[in-house]
Amino acid sequence: DSGVTQTPKHLITATGQRVTLRCSPRSGDLSVYWYQQSLDQGLQFLIQYYNGEERAKGNILERFSAQQFPDLHSELNLSSLELGDSALYFCASSVGRGRYGYTFGSGTRLTVV
Amino acid sequence: AQSVTQLDSQVPVFEEAPVELRCNYSSSVSVYLFWYVQYPNQGLQLLLKYLSGSTLVESINGFEAEFNKSQTSFHLRKPSVHISDTAEYFCAVTTGNEKLTFGTGTRLTIIP
């Protein structure tokens, strides 16, 4: 157990739907990062939050949004889902800016049918 | 800006043979370097890291990596691989002020 908790582990939904992925960072970590991993795109950085504020944005689609709450857990919202959104979504956390590395959760596997 | 290049997307190796997974980085300032491992159907786990000090860093399962500043490399090595080492390996870099930048990964396949 890495200390980073992601729920749910698996999610199957239909095209056009909206889902929410949840992440609880490791105790004491203030930064949360979201990544998408697919066979054709590899590991893609989506977005970073630090203590509730958006810190960096990567290849995140406009249909996707995220937030970090006062208790530091984070949610990634994916809407108007398309078949191509099927992927593994990882959350990671770090104490500060990540100079000591990130701790990853086990991921949420999203399948859009 | 920083970047990482993993030159080999796939590396097949016979069991008990040595292996080297290559990683080169680009940055205009000092860096911190990491290797992560992803076993099938799992998340990424930190394998080893270079922050400062000795340029040779080791993991608990026999892997080692050497920071070479002149060649801007951080290659991962193991003298004798095991079936259980089958996984995807990611190199990553940060300057400390930016998020981690990951390479595209190297899939290590161990041949019995």
Side-chain angles (χ1 to χ4, degrees), chain B residues 6-80:
Chain B
Q6 291 184 248
L7 296 167
D8 306 302
S9 60
Q10 296 187 58
V11 173
V13 181
F14 284 103
E15 193 173 12
E16 298 184 3
V19 68
E20 178 180 82
L21 306 184
R22 297 180 292 170
C23 171
N24 287 89
Y25 69 91
S26 174
S27 173
S28 57
V29 298
S30 297
V31 296
Y32 305 94
L33 294 155
F34 306 83
W35 275 100
Y36 282 82
V37 58
Q38 185 180 26
Y39 298 105
N41 299 313
Q42 295 186 29
L44 279 74
Q45 302 173 33
L46 181 62
L47 187 60
L48 48 75
K49 58 188 175 186
Y50 170 77
L51 301 181
S52 64
S54 173
T55 57
L56 185 66
V57 290
E58 300 177 351
S59 72
I60 58 173
N61 57 353
F63 282 94
E64 64 178 30
E66 185 161 20
F67 170 53
N68 189 318
K69 189 175 181 179
S70 63
Q71 298 188 9
T72 61
S73 68
F74 191 55
H75 301 333
L76 182 69
R77 302 184 183 95
K78 189 170 186 179
S80 176

Side-chain angles (χ1 to χ4, degrees), chain A residues 5-14 19-22 34-40 42-43 76 78 81-91 105-113, chain B residues 38-44 88 107:
Chain A
T5 303
Q6 287 189 250
T7 56
K9 291 193 183 305
H10 303 275
L11 200 50
I12 302 176
T13 190
V19 297
T20 298
L21 312 184
R22 182 187 169 103
W34 285 98
Y35 285 83
Q36 180 194 59
Q37 187 179 40
S38 60
L39 284 175
D40 55 343
L43 193 63
L76 178 67
L78 316 176
L81 285 167
E82 303 173 359
L83 296 177
D85 298 325
S86 296
L88 261 172
Y89 291 84
F90 287 109
C91 168
S106 56
T108 293
R109 182 173 293 280
L110 174 66
T111 303
V112 183
V113 298
Chain B
Q38 185 180 26
Y39 298 105
N41 299 313
Q42 295 186 29
L44 279 74
E88 186 145 20
R107 188 173 299 276

Side-chain angles (χ1 to χ4, degrees), chain B residues 62-103:
Chain B
F63 282 94
E64 64 178 30
E66 185 161 20
F67 170 53
N68 189 318
K69 189 175 181 179
S70 63
Q71 298 188 9
T72 61
S73 68
F74 191 55
H75 301 333
L76 182 69
R77 302 184 183 95
K78 189 170 186 179
S80 176
V81 295
H82 190 264
I83 290 287
S84 60
D85 294 322
T86 296
E88 186 145 20
Y89 293 80
F90 293 89
C91 182
V93 64
T94 180
T95 61
N97 292 318
E98 298 180 32
K99 61 173 177 59
L100 277 181
T101 297
F102 285 87

Side-chain angles (χ1 to χ4, degrees), chain A residues 6-97:
Chain A
Q6 287 189 250
T7 56
K9 291 193 183 305
H10 303 275
L11 200 50
I12 302 176
T13 190
T15 54
Q17 294 299 305
R18 172 190 170 93
V19 297
T20 298
L21 312 184
R22 182 187 169 103
C23 169
S24 293
R26 195 179 57 166
S27 178
D29 287 356
L30 299 179
S31 285
V32 169
Y33 311 81
W34 285 98
Y35 285 83
Q36 180 194 59
Q37 187 179 40
S38 60
L39 284 175
D40 55 343
Q41 299 273 0
L43 193 63
Q44 298 282 318
F45 168 70
L46 296 178
I47 198 164
Q48 176 199 355
Y49 281 85
Y50 177 80
N51 203 20
E53 293 187 5
E54 182 182 305
R55 183 60 64 92
K57 223 168 186 176
N59 301 320
I60 188 166
L61 300 172
E62 285 191 11
R63 301 183 285 109
F64 296 1
S65 65
Q67 55 184 323
Q68 185 179 28
F69 294 86
D71 66 352
L72 300 178
H73 91 272
S74 178
E75 293 181 357
L76 178 67
N77 301 295
L78 316 176
S79 61
S80 303
L81 285 167
E82 303 173 359
L83 296 177
D85 298 325
S86 296
L88 261 172
Y89 291 84
F90 287 109
C91 168
S93 71
S94 68
V95 173
R97 294 178 175 178

